[in-house]
Amino acid sequence: MAERRRAFPLRYYVITMVVIILFAIAPIIAIIAADAIATAHGCSLNEGGASVCMVMGSDWSEALYAAFVLPWLLFLTLPLAGGAVLVWLVILLIHYVAWRRSTEVSS
């Protein structure tokens, strides 16, 4: 009886890539969310400082301001994510080559 060939576990690599991409763009997501919240409540956001923004009865100005200037963090997250993608690619290639060799031997 022929042995069934194992499938390459690509789903783990896809999940890891999604996490890396989310890490890289997290500051962009934060600014979009801060802008949406501020716009929905009639507040203005700028990099000059926090202005009063009442959301559900409390002042969210400092939190919205912090999220608004968070894209400066892209100078850190993008290079780190780029390095993580390179490491991810090397590990994927090494794993794939080892997997191919193991399935060819067992065939």
Side-chain angles (χ1 to χ4, degrees):
M1 187 160 112
E3 192 174 313
R4 187 166 171 241
R5 185 175 176 172
R6 293 181 298 135
F8 184 73
L10 189 60
R11 77 174 146 240
Y12 300 114
Y13 289 101
V14 171
I15 291 169
T16 306
M17 180 55 73
V18 168
V19 169
I20 292 170
I21 291 170
L22 287 175
F23 171 77
I25 65 169
I28 297 171
I29 295 170
I31 194 171
I32 291 170
D35 185 52
I37 292 169
T39 303
H41 293 89
C43 304
S44 64
L45 286 176
N46 60 46
E47 290 182 346
S51 56
V52 177
C53 184
M54 299 302 284
V55 177
M56 295 184 291
S58 61
D59 185 16
W60 283 33
S61 58
E62 291 296 326
L64 291 175
Y65 172 74
F68 190 72
V69 297
L70 201 59
W72 284 102
L73 193 60
L74 284 170
F75 288 117
L76 179 67
T77 61
L78 287 180
L80 287 175
V85 167
L86 291 176
V87 170
W88 174 87
L89 184 60
V90 167
I91 292 171
L92 172 67
L93 291 174
I94 291 170
H95 187 188
Y96 183 73
V97 168
W99 174 80
R100 284 294 294 232
R101 286 183 181 168
S102 71
T103 57
E104 285 175 1
V105 170
S106 64
S107 298

